[in-house]
Amino acid sequence: MTDAPKRQMKLGVFANPTGNHVASWRHPDAQADAGVNFAHYAEIAQSAERAKFDMIFLSDNICVREAKMEALSRSAQYVANFEPLTLLSALSVVTSRIGLVATASTSYNEPYHVARKFASLDHLSQGRAGWNLVTSALGAEAPNFGRETHFDHRERYLRAHEFATIVTGLWDSWDDDAFVRDKESGRFFTPDALHTLNHKGEFFSVKGPLNVARTPQGWPVIVQAGGSEDMMAVAAEFAEVIFCAPLTFEAARTFYDKIKGHAASRSRSADTMKILPGLAPIVGRTDAEAAEKVRHLESLTHPVVALEILSTILGGIDFSGYDIDAPFPDDLPATTNASQYVYASAQELARSENLTLREVALRMAGARGKNVVTGTPKQIADMMEEWFEGGAADGFNILPSHFPGGLNDFVEMVVPELQRRGLFRTEYEGTTLRENLGLARPGNRYVEQLTPIAV
Amino acid sequence: MTDAPKRQMKLGVFANPTGNHVASWRHPDAQADAGVNFAHYAEIAQSAERAKFDMIFLSDNICVREAKMEALSRSAQYVANFEPLTLLSALSVVTSRIGLVATASTSYNEPYHVARKFASLDHLSQGRAGWNLVTSALGAEAPNFGRETHFDHRERYLRAHEFATIVTGLWDSWDDDAFVRDKESGRFFTPDALHTLNHKGEFFSVKGPLNVARTPQGWPVIVQAGGSEDMMAVAAEFAEVIFCAPLTFEAARTFYDKIKGHAASRSRSADTMKILPGLAPIVGRTDAEAAEKVRHLESLTHPVVALEILSTILGGIDFSGYDIDAPFPDDLPATTNASQYVYASAQELARSENLTLREVALRMAGARGKNVVTGTPKQIADMMEEWFEGGAADGFNILPSHFPGGLNDFVEMVVPELQRRGLFRTEYEGTTLRENLGLARPGNRYVEQLTPIAV
């Protein structure tokens, strides 16, 4: 009799071209041309695969980010990069086990195209595709798609829900065994294994069927990010992996309980949904070495860029009337609820270390609103274990500060520590992303209704 | 003093999953699962690259083809396959010189997505992408994109023209040297090297800029297929490669003169546009061996499938009232002009060999309306040389009857014969598709207007 296998973490790597830190492209080791450098991405994906990561993740915007030109022209992020699905398709050839997850917006795409491209990627990668189902966050996308203004918040989420219903319906267009390809009889597919969706909804009308066979995973894994109430309702129904960005253990555990509760209310068991908080580790062999890495990245950050990022994560504050070298102001105008939370963190940071606006901006811009944890491999593994065992996480989406160094540090120092503790795999459990995540392969909604007919 | 280099043919290979012949999937050598078999496509692309082909070409429909189920379920073509852009992105990794050309419809896509994905492919492949700019031919696509009916013919071509204007404009969003990525100064791109399209037209409103850097080729190569008068006007302005399907030398020469005349009327020199008629070769070491290959493929063709294809290429004739084993009927109802031409060919074929409806269907379904040339390597090279030297072609788009055998026959027998005659390259001239096709790299429309500003 053997023990039940120990529950282990799931790990993703967020492949922001040059890294999560806003100045990462200026790091001496960085591939500054990462956004058009396939060899760079191949190296990241292969490193993460050697370390047995579950997946590599690409975020996306369908526009050049809007910002003041002085800041934008000093930034590498969300300016000009490979398109995610073409990039992941190419990466499928130079990897064999790691999952390939891309963002595709439900606001400015057609469900048929999205269903088709992710299905194609799932076939190309033999079962390693994942779709990060989002609504467009940036209003700057709207005018690239014939609209003067962005859809309002509520409409975005209603569209997202209907969109996901259609995409998953299209993925069931063919039974798994539809294509008999019998050279002898001349029958290529079984007629009653083809299903036409005939969707007519509030936002979309999509007939189907999809012109891609059902995929190795049945459905590509569905991922979601963002924690609004509306999005939680979509997540409770569809999401199998959730990315989130809590900054404290308490916030993470509250989110974890809430979203697993939502899932339970849809009769889904808790382990059908993996919650991966973002974690931006800065690893040193000693505390001092880790702190020096932070200081180095801050020294590369232009104040104009830092202020722009701080403005963005505070909900669009205009800092032009403030003295950058005066103490951090405590009279900023109120913006959104989420920003108020970030503002409180900034004030707390400024107060505890007596910081100026410039210093707060450099510190917070580097993190870009993410949970930066600086320390030794043991300290970082301790924090991860605490969250994982304490009901706050099923794993983490790792945001290396810069590539390749920030990823290599984590792979070489933290992953072995997690493995020693039995918290992370030393070999892949399966060949598909679903198998490695421990997620069931969805059945086909039409199969129960099938009655064999003579053909 | 050296002689001017001899003009040489350009060659593409049409990678219809299992081959051009309607029964190709049943061939003993065929990969019947070609549509989801990446290794199959890698083999085709690598074979064609070893033979120094200019490009591999993927056609596309954004639907499952509509046909009676008895015929459809016996067909491998336009049912369920990889999506072309994801497939070509993966193929870019296993090839290094061959061009990668995919179809993307201007009817049911957004220009921003198309511009972005082909630009991304051009970066991934380091300058080997081509876009086959088409209007959707199949009305069955419309209900997958929220429309009850297909756009009418005239609107499709007006949209295509505006679509191409936008896509090429987006490809010029960044100067070639926009991304200085200067780690020292912290300047990532030069502000005045970024251009916003601000397109507002009849069908589309697209602001830009594109979030992909200008590509190795400046613009991916623009390809077009189809010979209607409206499409010729679009081709005259944008197309650099034209695929066409003439069945005789005279028809090819007439088309060639006409389209090059259209180009001249737009002040384009004739060699900025390469005209590649489709050619479906069936090669044997002897006439008898070639004829046996044809007979073998015909023997694999189910009569139901043959009649469906014949019906389609005759413009939708319903054969249900006809005796399949009676002489080919001469009282079919009139359909379109193009179909009338095919009908005349079918009648001529039936008369000259005294064929039944079944026999005509088998013969013509195999060809699928393409120019099938059966014979020895010398005979096929003679035909190609005659067209090429006689002002009817700048090269050919090769449609192998089946994969891999039909391609291998052409590569092993016909290509060496063409090379011996000096009609085809023995080594690639360059590294990009443009360089190999002998096409100039387009300048950026905005560059002349630039005045340097201090940043």
Side-chain angles (χ1 to χ4, degrees):
Chain A
M1 190 180 148
T2 56
D3 291 336
K6 179 169 173 172
R7 174 173 166 261
Q8 292 188 317
M9 290 180 189
K10 308 302 174 189
L11 292 182
V13 57
F14 189 127
N16 206 323
T18 59
N20 182 61
H21 197 283
V22 71
S24 53
W25 72 269
R26 295 181 69 187
H27 194 283
D29 298 344
Q31 297 283 356
D33 66 348
V36 292
N37 184 335
F38 177 67
H40 163 81
Y41 279 100
E43 182 188 346
I44 292 174
Q46 291 171 339
S47 293
E49 186 169 81
R50 277 193 299 274
K52 317 299 177 197
F53 272 65
D54 291 83
M55 59 193 141
I56 181 170
F57 167 67
L58 299 177
S59 63
D60 193 41
N61 293 310
I62 325 172
C63 62
V64 174
R65 188 165 63 88
E66 284 191 329
K68 285 182 187 158
M69 187 54 82
E70 260 308 287
L72 187 68
S73 65
R74 296 174 185 280
S75 303
Q77 279 155 331
Y78 303 116
V79 174
N81 302 303
F82 289 122
E83 183 277 332
L85 274 155
T86 45
L87 175 56
L88 288 187
S89 298
L91 288 174
S92 76
V93 180
V94 297
T95 54
S96 63
R97 286 294 176 270
I98 195 166
L100 305 166
V101 180
T103 297
S105 165
T106 56
S107 303
Y108 300 110
N109 271 302
E110 291 282 343
Y112 198 93
H113 288 309
V114 168
R116 188 181 182 211
K117 285 172 202 290
F118 281 93
S120 190
L121 178 63
D122 207 43
H123 282 291
L124 284 169
S125 63
Q126 300 185 285
R128 296 185 287 129
W131 170 35
N132 181 31
L133 185 177
V134 302
T135 64
S136 287
L138 297 189
E141 296 183 358
N144 291 332
F145 298 93
R147 287 180 59 92
E148 301 264 327
T149 56
H150 199 18
F151 296 109
D152 70 31
H153 182 86
R154 179 87 188 136
E155 183 172 352
R156 292 208 292 278
Y157 289 97
L158 291 173
R159 285 175 65 93
H161 188 276
E162 187 179 333
F163 197 110
T165 304
I166 298 165
V167 167
T168 53
L170 289 171
W171 284 337
D172 283 347
S173 292
W174 300 88
D175 293 355
D176 287 312
D177 57 359
F179 292 93
V180 291
R181 304 183 187 109
D182 182 0
K183 289 184 181 182
E184 191 57 37
S185 71
R187 183 68 69 185
F188 192 68
F189 68 84
T190 306
D192 60 1
L194 170 59
H195 313 288
T196 302
L197 184 64
N198 283 319
H199 174 89
K200 285 190 196 296
E202 183 178 356
F203 300 103
F204 300 101
S205 164
V206 180
K207 184 174 176 212
L210 193 65
N211 59 350
V212 183
R214 200 157 193 268
T215 75
Q217 297 189 103
W219 300 357
V221 172
I222 299 180
V223 179
Q224 245 181 4
S228 76
E229 282 298 322
D230 287 333
M231 204 57 180
M232 280 201 200
V234 180
E237 186 164 350
F238 293 104
E240 301 174 288
V241 173
I242 309 258
F243 294 152
C244 50
L247 296 178
T248 65
F249 173 78
E250 278 310 320
R253 197 166 62 175
T254 301
F255 180 83
Y256 189 96
D257 286 344
K258 188 166 183 179
I259 201 118
K260 296 252 171 169
H262 272 285
S265 74
R266 307 287 306 218
S267 306
R268 291 180 59 183
S269 83
D271 60 1
T272 64
M273 186 184 273
K274 307 297 177 186
I275 299 179
L276 308 191
L279 171 62
I282 297 187
V283 194
R285 268 157 240 282
T286 62
D287 276 341
E289 186 181 288
E292 170 56 24
K293 288 180 181 177
V294 173
R295 195 210 55 76
H296 181 216
L297 283 162
E298 278 183 19
S299 76
L300 298 174
T301 309
H302 196 285
V304 165
V305 175
L307 273 186
E308 185 234 328
I309 302 290
L310 185 63
S311 163
T312 300
I313 61 183
L314 288 175
I317 300 287
D318 179 2
F319 284 111
S320 55
Y322 291 85
D323 178 356
I324 192 167
D325 289 313
F328 185 74
D330 56 10
D331 61 345
L332 294 180
T335 53
T336 62
N337 285 342
S339 310
Q340 282 302 309
Y341 178 78
V342 179
Y343 183 37
S345 307
Q347 285 181 306
E348 173 60 27
L349 175 68
R351 212 167 11 236
S352 66
E353 302 186 31
N354 197 27
L355 301 179
T356 62
L357 172 57
R358 180 196 299 268
E359 288 163 334
V360 169
L362 288 175
R363 189 79 60 89
M364 298 196 68
R368 295 198 313 115
K370 301 306 192 297
N371 182 27
V372 175
V373 181
T374 305
T376 62
K378 181 179 177 308
Q379 288 167 343
I380 292 173
D382 284 348
M383 172 260 150
M384 293 173 76
E385 182 168 5
E386 182 195 352
W387 287 37
F388 179 66
E389 300 292 1
D394 296 313
F396 297 88
N397 197 27
I398 303 300
L399 299 100
S401 56
H402 64 289
F403 288 109
L407 175 61
N408 292 345
D409 287 349
F410 185 85
V411 162
E412 291 163 15
M413 295 193 270
V414 181
V415 168
E417 178 65 25
L418 295 172
Q419 289 170 329
R420 266 192 295 277
R421 299 181 189 191
L423 292 170
F424 189 58
R425 68 169 69 85
T426 54
E427 195 40 78
Y428 285 107
E429 294 83 8
T431 62
T432 70
L433 176 56
R434 273 184 189 284
E435 286 166 355
N436 290 320
L437 289 172
L439 296 169
R441 188 175 187 279
N444 188 316
R445 71 193 62 189
Y446 297 105
V447 167
E448 283 70 39
Q449 301 161 31
L450 270 183
T451 47
I453 59 169
V455 289
Chain B
M1 191 179 145
T2 56
D3 291 337
K6 180 170 173 173
R7 174 174 166 261
Q8 291 188 317
M9 290 178 188
K10 308 302 174 190
L11 292 182
V13 58
F14 189 126
N16 204 323
T18 58
N20 182 62
H21 197 284
V22 72
S24 52
W25 73 269
R26 295 182 68 188
H27 194 282
D29 298 345
Q31 297 282 357
D33 67 348
V36 291
N37 184 335
F38 177 67
H40 164 79
Y41 279 100
E43 181 188 347
I44 292 175
Q46 291 172 338
S47 294
E49 185 169 81
R50 278 194 299 274
K52 316 301 177 194
F53 272 64
D54 291 83
M55 58 192 139
I56 182 170
F57 166 67
L58 300 177
S59 61
D60 194 40
N61 293 310
I62 325 173
C63 61
V64 173
R65 188 166 61 89
E66 285 190 329
K68 285 181 186 159
M69 187 53 84
E70 259 308 287
L72 187 67
S73 65
R74 297 173 183 280
S75 303
Q77 279 154 332
Y78 303 116
V79 174
N81 302 303
F82 289 123
E83 183 277 333
L85 274 155
T86 44
L87 176 56
L88 288 186
S89 298
L91 289 174
S92 75
V93 180
V94 297
T95 54
S96 63
R97 287 294 176 269
I98 196 166
L100 305 166
V101 180
T103 296
S105 166
T106 57
S107 304
Y108 300 110
N109 271 301
E110 290 283 344
Y112 198 93
H113 288 309
V114 168
R116 187 181 183 212
K117 284 170 201 293
F118 281 93
S120 190
L121 178 63
D122 208 42
H123 282 290
L124 284 170
S125 63
Q126 300 185 285
R128 298 185 285 130
W131 170 35
N132 182 31
L133 184 178
V134 302
T135 64
S136 287
L138 297 189
E141 295 183 358
N144 290 333
F145 298 92
R147 288 180 59 91
E148 301 265 327
T149 57
H150 199 17
F151 297 109
D152 71 31
H153 183 86
R154 179 88 187 135
E155 182 171 352
R156 293 208 292 277
Y157 289 96
L158 290 173
R159 284 175 66 92
H161 188 276
E162 188 179 332
F163 198 110
T165 304
I166 298 165
V167 167
T168 54
L170 289 171
W171 284 337
D172 283 347
S173 292
W174 300 88
D175 293 354
D176 287 311
D177 56 0
F179 292 93
V180 292
R181 306 183 185 108
D182 182 1
K183 289 184 181 181
E184 191 57 37
S185 71
R187 184 67 69 185
F188 191 68
F189 68 83
T190 307
D192 60 0
L194 169 59
H195 313 287
T196 302
L197 184 65
N198 283 319
H199 174 90
K200 285 191 194 297
E202 184 178 356
F203 300 103
F204 300 102
S205 165
V206 180
K207 185 175 176 211
L210 191 66
N211 58 350
V212 184
R214 200 157 194 268
T215 76
Q217 296 189 103
W219 300 356
V221 172
I222 299 179
V223 179
Q224 247 182 2
S228 76
E229 282 299 321
D230 287 332
M231 204 58 181
M232 280 202 199
V234 181
E237 187 164 347
F238 292 103
E240 302 175 287
V241 173
I242 308 259
F243 293 152
C244 50
L247 296 178
T248 65
F249 173 78
E250 277 310 319
R253 197 165 64 176
T254 302
F255 180 83
Y256 189 97
D257 287 343
K258 190 166 181 178
I259 201 119
K260 296 254 171 167
H262 273 285
S265 74
R266 308 288 305 219
S267 304
R268 291 179 60 183
S269 83
D271 60 2
T272 63
M273 188 184 272
K274 308 297 178 187
I275 299 178
L276 309 190
L279 171 62
I282 298 187
V283 194
R285 269 156 240 283
T286 62
D287 276 340
E289 186 181 289
E292 171 55 25
K293 289 181 180 176
V294 173
R295 196 209 54 76
H296 180 216
L297 283 163
E298 279 182 18
S299 77
L300 299 173
T301 310
H302 195 285
V304 166
V305 175
L307 272 186
E308 184 234 329
I309 302 290
L310 184 63
S311 164
T312 301
I313 62 183
L314 287 175
I317 300 287
D318 178 3
F319 284 111
S320 56
Y322 292 84
D323 178 356
I324 194 167
D325 290 312
F328 185 73
D330 55 9
D331 61 344
L332 295 179
T335 54
T336 63
N337 285 342
S339 310
Q340 281 302 308
Y341 177 78
V342 179
Y343 183 36
S345 307
Q347 285 183 304
E348 173 60 29
L349 175 68
R351 216 169 5 241
S352 66
E353 302 186 32
N354 198 26
L355 301 179
T356 62
L357 172 57
R358 180 196 299 267
E359 288 163 335
V360 168
L362 288 175
R363 189 79 59 89
M364 297 196 68
R368 294 199 313 115
K370 301 306 192 299
N371 182 26
V372 175
V373 181
T374 304
T376 64
K378 181 177 178 308
Q379 288 166 343
I380 291 172
D382 285 349
M383 173 260 148
M384 293 173 76
E385 181 167 6
E386 182 195 350
W387 286 40
F388 179 66
E389 299 292 1
D394 296 313
F396 297 89
N397 197 28
I398 303 300
L399 298 101
S401 57
H402 63 290
F403 288 108
L407 175 61
N408 291 345
D409 287 347
F410 185 84
V411 161
E412 290 163 15
M413 296 193 269
V414 181
V415 168
E417 177 65 25
L418 296 171
Q419 289 171 329
R420 265 192 294 279
R421 298 181 190 192
L423 291 170
F424 190 57
R425 68 169 68 87
T426 54
E427 196 38 79
Y428 284 108
E429 293 84 9
T431 63
T432 70
L433 176 56
R434 271 184 191 285
E435 287 166 355
N436 290 320
L437 289 171
L439 296 170
R441 188 174 186 282
N444 188 315
R445 71 194 61 190
Y446 297 105
V447 168
E448 282 71 40
Q449 302 160 28
L450 270 183
T451 47
I453 58 168
V455 288

